[in-house]
Amino acid sequence: MPEPTEQPPASSFTPETAKVLAEVAHNRQKDKLKRPYKDHVLAVGDALADFDDDIRIAGYLHDIAEDTPMTRQALLDMGVSERAVQIIERVTNRLHSTPDDYQAVIREIAEDHDAALVKIADNAHNSLPERVQALAEKWPDKPPVTKYRDARPVLYAAVEVDEVRKILARVNPWLLAEFDDQLDEEDTTDYENLSYEEPAAAAGAARQADADEGEAPGAMSSGER
């Protein structure tokens, strides 16, 4: 009798562990509005609650390589999976070939499905109406930030529609209307000239073809058999 295959031990580094690490690593940091930066990374991780552990872990730690001294090896030594580390690296601006070109970075992120999910959550939280308004009030002379808006279609195209909806519903439901508008713009169906009689016509043609085949030349009628 063959011996049972030994299963690899389950990783002790869970999304809950990542949440604690993110809170500690970003504890003293502030965002542009002088708010605790940890609130942002925790919100991004929470927004990915419908996805697997690696994606959730990457969500909580998505800025840890960007804004802290934490290294790849340190994360691996803690038990973070290789896949989660790769997602974190993919969404880390400074690790891209053109870190100052935001849209180029977004296009590279969108080449990876899992990284795109994390970046969608990041983008959505950064685009909360209250935050956008607060930034506009603090710097009224600066033009409105449009890079997040411009990035969204690129990121959305990298994942499934229902995946986008799940994330937005959790972190920024105000973006759902914009997303629906985008889907409407991408729908090229000509509804005004759409015919609903075609299936019936096709069925009628098929029946006529069957009838013609039964009356083909040389076919014996019932009286000739």
Side-chain angles (χ1 to χ4, degrees):
M1 182 175 180
E3 295 183 2
T5 304
E6 184 177 347
Q7 297 296 323
S11 173
S12 60
F13 198 97
T14 65
E16 289 69 31
T17 312
K19 192 170 186 175
V20 173
L21 176 58
E23 192 165 5
V24 172
H26 297 284
N27 186 47
R28 295 180 178 273
Q29 297 174 355
K30 304 290 184 182
D31 66 8
K32 293 178 180 178
L33 295 169
K34 304 302 180 183
R35 298 170 178 175
Y37 194 73
K38 64 181 180 180
D39 292 350
H40 167 69
V41 295
L42 297 182
V44 171
D46 289 346
L48 297 164
D50 295 302
F51 300 91
D52 66 48
D53 283 0
D54 282 341
I55 292 173
R56 294 175 64 198
I57 288 169
Y60 287 120
L61 303 181
H62 75 277
D63 273 336
I64 203 161
E66 188 84 61
D67 299 327
T68 81
M70 190 70 65
T71 65
R72 151 184 267 273
Q73 191 58 51
L75 291 172
L76 292 172
D77 290 345
M78 289 181 187
V80 180
S81 72
E82 175 68 28
R83 176 180 171 229
V85 171
Q86 288 179 353
I87 298 171
I88 294 167
E89 291 178 330
R90 173 75 74 160
V91 299
T92 300
N93 283 8
R94 67 177 181 81
L95 297 181
H96 286 263
S97 56
T98 55
D100 295 328
D101 186 341
Y102 183 77
Q103 297 305 327
V105 171
I106 290 297
R107 289 192 294 272
E108 291 181 8
I109 291 173
E111 294 174 1
D112 182 273
H113 170 270
D114 297 343
L117 291 174
V118 173
K119 198 63 181 176
I120 288 169
D122 178 33
N123 181 299
H125 188 258
N126 279 327
S127 303
L128 283 168
E130 183 274 334
R131 182 178 186 276
V132 173
Q133 181 178 349
L135 287 171
E137 291 174 353
K138 186 169 184 177
W139 290 286
D141 297 331
K142 293 185 66 175
V145 177
T146 60
K147 67 177 186 178
Y148 296 132
R149 183 193 63 202
D150 295 341
R152 285 195 284 273
V154 179
L155 295 170
Y156 292 166
V159 303
E160 299 295 330
V161 168
D162 65 325
E163 292 177 323
V164 177
R165 291 192 188 282
K166 286 177 180 178
I167 295 172
L168 298 186
R170 285 186 177 276
V171 68
N172 189 343
W174 292 273
L175 287 179
L176 286 168
E178 177 193 89
F179 182 50
D180 287 337
D181 289 342
Q182 177 189 321
L183 293 176
D184 289 341
E185 290 175 3
E186 294 173 354
D187 186 354
T188 58
T189 304
D190 185 359
Y191 289 101
E192 290 185 2
N193 297 313
L194 187 64
S195 173
Y196 295 95
E197 298 178 358
E198 291 180 4
R207 287 194 296 271
Q208 183 61 47
D210 291 341
D212 292 344
E213 184 178 348
E215 297 176 2
M220 294 176 61
S221 67
S222 58
E224 294 174 324
R225 292 191 182 98

